[in-house]
Amino acid sequence: MLGLLVMLPLVLGAQQCPSVLDPAVEPRLACFVDATPACPPDRRYCVGLQLHLADGAEQTPAWMAAELEHAFKLFAPADVGFTVVGIDAISAEFAVMHTADQRDEVGRQQFTRGVIHVYLVAQLDDVDIPGAQIRGVHWRQRSNTDKRWIILSQIGSNVVMAHELGHFFGLPHSRYTDSIMNKRPREQPPWDARVFVPQELEIVLKQRDAMLRDGSLETISSPR
Ligand SMILES: [Zn+2]
């Protein structure tokens, strides 16, 4: 009887998020894989996101879904989609990221080529401005800058991952009024309406092809 009671949440979870039955996925994380949108079917390139959730961080599958939807919108002209291919938990020592050392350390063990690693944390301090927090960062491991990943704070809005993916696809910050890569405070256009401008798209396309060619990214042929 006790066994049945213990199994019940798993069975209920499996209806919503079948990954709960995958021994490689922690049950509490299963919905990040199953209840987030996969690559839109019209995309030629589908890139995997490997998520890592810090113990104590409060991002939810719905939060991640909103980040994905916005990234789909911005990367449509690049024919690129994204899909969550896995998630694991990382230790609470990374929930609050104070230092550059932590940003290096968080990805050091888990880095692999072919997918984009995305770390979900509670707090991400600005390492340049004491006391300030940032919402996301595209980080290069300082001892080997070919190894890079994205870190997202739970305080970020739905546009932050798309902005960091812009960096991952080779974009610096810019001065274009319509660009999501321009962080200068301005009312128009609103964050939701900011895009990659044509000059930026050109870079994204080049970087996309270069990363697919050298294996730092792989495209998934049959997203889940
Ligand atoms: Zn940036």
Side-chain angles (χ1 to χ4, degrees):
M1 186 60 195
L2 187 60
L4 260 183
L5 284 176
V6 171
M7 283 303 290
L8 197 57
L10 262 185
V11 173
L12 290 176
Q15 284 175 356
Q16 268 185 321
C17 302
S19 292
V20 82
L21 300 174
D22 179 348
V25 177
E26 282 188 46
R28 71 184 177 94
L29 302 179
C31 287
F32 276 93
V33 179
D34 296 324
T36 50
C39 284
D42 63 343
R43 303 298 158 89
R44 176 159 178 209
Y45 305 101
C46 180
V47 171
L49 301 183
Q50 176 67 40
L51 305 183
H52 309 274
L53 179 66
D55 275 340
E58 290 180 353
Q59 286 89 340
T60 60
W63 184 95
M64 193 61 208
E67 300 289 331
L68 281 162
E69 293 289 2
H70 199 70
F72 293 165
K73 206 162 91 181
L74 263 75
F75 280 84
D79 223 356
V80 172
F82 303 93
T83 198
V84 175
V85 291
I87 179 165
D88 48 60
I90 53 170
S91 112
E93 69 184 285
F94 294 114
V96 178
M97 304 279 275
H98 293 301
T99 65
D101 284 346
Q102 281 175 299
R103 295 181 185 183
D104 277 344
E105 205 49 47
V106 75
R108 197 187 296 279
Q109 302 300 328
Q110 288 158 313
F111 176 80
T112 51
R113 286 155 61 79
V115 297
I116 302 175
H117 290 265
V118 180
Y119 293 85
L120 306 176
V121 304
Q123 180 180 322
L124 184 55
D125 286 351
D126 190 327
V127 293
D128 302 314
I129 306 173
Q133 283 184 43
I134 57 174
R135 283 151 177 76
V137 71
H138 166 246
W139 186 252
R140 292 176 179 274
Q141 184 184 302
R142 288 167 301 168
S143 58
N144 180 353
T145 53
D146 287 345
K147 297 185 177 179
R148 50 210 183 90
W149 41 85
I150 288 171
I151 307 171
L152 299 175
S153 162
Q154 68 188 26
I155 66 169
S157 75
N158 66 321
V159 306
V160 177
M161 187 169 76
H163 172 99
E164 302 309 333
L165 286 168
H167 288 312
F168 198 95
F169 280 75
L171 297 180
H173 289 140
S174 74
R175 286 298 185 108
Y176 304 111
T177 306
D178 290 343
S179 173
I180 190 162
M181 302 312 291
N182 179 352
K183 297 204 303 178
R184 222 161 7 114
R186 59 200 190 283
E187 276 177 19
Q188 291 300 329
W191 271 108
D192 245 16
R194 298 178 194 178
V195 295
F196 300 132
V197 300
Q199 295 90 327
E200 290 174 324
L201 264 177
E202 220 174 283
I203 297 171
V204 167
L205 295 181
K206 267 193 205 138
Q207 186 69 8
R208 175 199 73 189
D209 293 343
M211 291 191 293
L212 290 169
R213 215 169 28 237
D214 73 13
S216 47
L217 280 188
E218 285 167 15
T219 187
I220 301 167
S221 46
S222 53
R224 40 174 221 267

